[in-house]
Amino acid sequence: MITENEFKSLIKKNESSILDFKREFYDFKKDKNNSVTAKFVKDVISFSNTIRTEKSFIIFGIQELDNGDIEHKGINEKVDDAILQDKVKDKVFPRPDFSFYTIDFNDKKYGILEFPIRRYEFPIVPTIKDLKGLEVGKVYYRNGTSNTEANAFDIIRIYDWLKSLPKKNESNSLNDEISNYIKQLTIGEEKISVIISDLFDLSKKYDFIELKQFCLNEIQGIKSAEAKNCDYRI
């Protein structure tokens, strides 16, 4: 969930492949022939498959005008994230990771769909036929400000991007390791030289260049010709 300051920063930006403004929320009450659900599912697929280096968002209650200005409308709907998850889970594969929540800003409520970066084994695709504008097995992604069907070259690029992302369990493992070191430093029962040595191994394992150099400086000492940025120790 983003903070109010992050929200203010987002709404100052223009729509792009990782940011979309919608004046109104999906009107599932008028979901004739699953047409509204199809739009929602296509948005989820497209944002999840888009190559990027940061989270992407759909913000409801804002309309971008032709002159580039934005109009703040807000939304009145009360939507449960679990309902949205349920609308997607049996219609696509792999199952996408996203969340929905609301934020209050300047006496209005806005809806936010947030899409984290996550590694999937392959791009997310529709798995059922009765979704207008979607074909089973086709890959969709964001091209500029539009949801677009991927061509063969696009699919290769998306595959390569997904493969380059860390696996979820690898990310959790790193977080666990860092948490353990923080606990050791906080408790103060372990010698700092031992922790520095362990951190050096961690820096090599995950290719953390700055941490590796810092640990080398600490291990070699301030008189080492290789040690840099050790003025604080002197």
Side-chain angles (χ1 to χ4, degrees):
M1 179 178 289
I2 60 175
T3 64
E4 182 175 314
N5 284 336
E6 289 173 325
F7 179 77
K8 286 195 289 187
S9 176
L10 276 176
I11 62 178
K12 290 179 181 177
K13 299 179 179 179
N14 294 324
E15 290 182 316
S16 65
S17 61
I18 60 172
L19 178 63
D20 189 24
F21 296 132
K22 292 186 183 294
R23 178 173 177 168
E24 300 174 341
F25 194 72
Y26 307 101
D27 191 354
F28 292 113
K29 295 178 181 178
K30 299 180 180 179
D31 198 11
K32 186 177 181 180
N33 299 323
N34 279 335
S35 59
V36 178
T37 295
K39 291 179 181 179
F40 166 61
V41 171
K42 190 171 187 177
D43 280 338
V44 171
I45 292 174
S46 299
F47 272 83
S48 299
N49 284 337
T50 296
I51 298 172
R52 52 205 157 91
T53 57
E54 55 188 304
K55 296 177 182 178
S56 54
F57 301 90
I58 300 177
I59 300 179
F60 302 89
I62 290 180
Q63 181 178 10
E64 184 170 310
L65 305 177
D66 293 338
N67 61 3
D69 293 339
I70 60 173
E71 187 175 2
H72 295 260
K73 293 288 188 180
I75 61 171
N76 298 315
E77 292 85 355
K78 293 182 179 180
V79 183
D80 189 340
D81 175 73
I83 294 176
L84 298 180
Q85 301 288 344
D86 191 61
K87 285 184 176 294
V88 171
K89 68 178 183 180
D90 59 346
K91 299 177 178 66
V92 304
F93 190 83
R95 185 168 178 175
D97 185 4
F98 69 93
S99 60
F100 176 81
Y101 52 89
T102 59
I103 188 170
D104 294 322
F105 180 71
N106 288 349
D107 299 323
K108 295 183 186 300
K109 182 173 70 174
Y110 300 88
I112 299 176
L113 270 175
E114 180 178 311
F115 303 88
I117 294 178
R118 178 183 162 186
R119 174 174 175 158
Y120 304 98
E121 289 305 310
F122 42 82
I124 298 167
V125 297
T127 57
I128 63 174
K129 296 180 179 179
D130 61 341
L131 293 175
K132 184 178 180 180
L134 294 171
E135 291 186 47
V136 175
K138 295 288 187 180
V139 176
Y140 300 89
Y141 75 107
R142 292 279 291 179
N143 184 7
T145 59
S146 302
N147 296 335
T148 305
E149 182 181 330
N151 59 33
F153 177 71
D154 296 325
I155 293 173
I156 292 172
R157 291 175 58 242
I158 295 171
Y159 262 106
D160 289 343
W161 170 64
L162 290 172
K163 287 192 295 184
S164 73
L165 299 176
K167 293 181 180 179
K168 192 171 184 180
N169 59 349
E170 290 178 352
S171 177
N172 288 338
S173 175
L174 172 59
N175 289 336
D176 291 341
E177 290 185 64
I178 291 175
S179 295
N180 287 333
Y181 290 125
I182 292 174
K183 288 178 182 177
Q184 291 180 52
L185 289 166
T186 303
I187 295 172
E189 294 180 351
E190 190 77 73
K191 289 184 178 180
I192 190 68
S193 57
V194 174
I195 298 177
I196 290 293
S197 178
D198 290 341
L199 284 174
F200 181 62
D201 291 335
L202 181 77
S203 70
K204 292 190 293 183
K205 179 179 178 181
Y206 292 101
D207 196 26
F208 293 154
I209 297 174
E210 293 183 6
L211 178 61
K212 182 179 179 181
Q213 185 61 56
F214 172 80
C215 292
L216 279 173
N217 292 347
E218 296 299 311
I219 293 169
Q220 294 170 345
I222 61 175
K223 293 183 180 180
S224 169
E226 298 297 324
K228 300 176 182 178
N229 302 318
C230 288
D231 292 344
Y232 70 94
R233 293 189 65 189
I234 298 173

